[in-house]
Amino acid sequence: MVTLKDIATACGVSVSTVSKALNNSSELRKETIDLVSERARKLGYTPNSIARSLRTNHTKNIGVLFALSSTSGLKHEYFDSILDSIKTEAESRGYDLTFINSTDSRMTYLEKVRYRNFDGVIIASATDYNSAKLVDLLKSNIPCVLIDYKFRNCISIMSDNEDGAYSLAKYVFAKGHRRIAFITGEDTPVTEARLRGFTRACRERGVEPNPDHVRQSRFHDPDSSYEQTLALFAQDPDITCLFYPDDVSMIGGLRALGKLGRKVPQDVSAIGYDGIAISRIMRPVFTTYVQSSDAIGKLAAEKLIDQIEKPKAIKETLYVKGIIQEGDTLAEPIRK
């Protein structure tokens, strides 16, 4: 069995240097880390994770909690991109990821985390942030980072949903729209933030949002947004622009508009959210808000690992901005 001493001899460095290099220590130059890692690989060195955890009190394993109320789950590109960037960043720093089973009720989240000896947890999405089993985990001494949710004394990485909806609404107003409908997702902090941004943009323009033009749908559910679109136009056929909670929901909305004989954007405009690949493939190309999902995932992994390795890391809330994708589903409204 290859030991740290064997690698040290092959590299002409100390055992301490080998240990630091294999743990990707910031104390060493990249060249030294690369040399030691390459020699270790060629010698067939396999680290003993149990011995390492006893020595360092770290298992180099991170738990990821991911649960959605909708059925899209990992098939949804926005979350897939976030999780992939979490994985890439974590692995680049020597950490592995393990998903936490959110449907197994035999153990609480905290019990699962302690049983698996996770160094920390990223809460990418949860169906109920107020559930006792999640709150117990967040209030424990386990380092946690949340995505798109705030909890006291925890690090939160937030897509700037309020600013995103505000920017989109300003963009729509600049095109001359005033009769705007807003289809939201479920009643979540994300929905609340977007409604705040939308309302702020309306009031800056001297337009009081019409409560009848705000309808709740479900995130990533085209059937639900289809039904809500039909309901809105049955109530007010003069709506000139619709906001959708995400690009997948917008597909359902476009289907409903087609059934009503409304052409986009000639008769009515439509706006999406997320900026997933399908928004650029569809015709017409979606006007939508592109969330920086890669940056969100990378930052979540960075902040969690910093907290694991430096327990006094600042517990902060960080906002990640996106950009508007100028597509072909928004035009000036028809003047009547």
Side-chain angles (χ1 to χ4, degrees), residues 71-86:
T71 58
S72 58
L74 287 170
K75 294 180 287 185
H76 190 268
E77 184 184 326
Y78 171 67
F79 291 108
D80 180 61
S81 176
I82 286 178
L83 294 168
D84 186 62
S85 58
I86 290 173

Side-chain angles (χ1 to χ4, degrees), residues 146 148-159 299 303 314-320:
L146 297 105
D148 275 343
Y149 189 80
K150 294 181 186 178
F151 191 86
R152 60 187 180 278
N153 297 323
C154 285
I155 295 174
S156 297
I157 311 300
M158 311 286 290
S159 176
L299 193 55
K303 290 299 178 180
I314 298 173
K315 308 293 176 63
E316 57 191 334
T317 298
L318 300 171
Y319 290 88
V320 180

Side-chain angles (χ1 to χ4, degrees), residues 108 110 114 131-141 151:
T108 67
L110 183 55
R114 286 176 172 163
S131 68
K133 64 179 183 178
L134 182 55
V135 171
D136 284 346
L137 171 61
L138 296 175
K139 291 170 70 174
S140 73
N141 61 350
F151 191 86

Side-chain angles (χ1 to χ4, degrees), residues 299-319:
L299 193 55
E302 283 179 355
K303 290 299 178 180
L304 180 63
I305 294 170
D306 286 347
Q307 192 180 0
I308 292 166
E309 298 179 350
K310 304 168 188 174
K312 293 184 179 179
I314 298 173
K315 308 293 176 63
E316 57 191 334
T317 298
L318 300 171
Y319 290 88

Side-chain angles (χ1 to χ4, degrees), residues 76-78 247-248 273-280 288 290 325:
H76 190 268
E77 184 184 326
Y78 171 67
D247 297 330
V248 174
Y273 211 97
D274 285 344
I276 62 176
I278 199 169
S279 72
R280 296 179 289 279
T288 187
V290 183
Q325 174 177 294

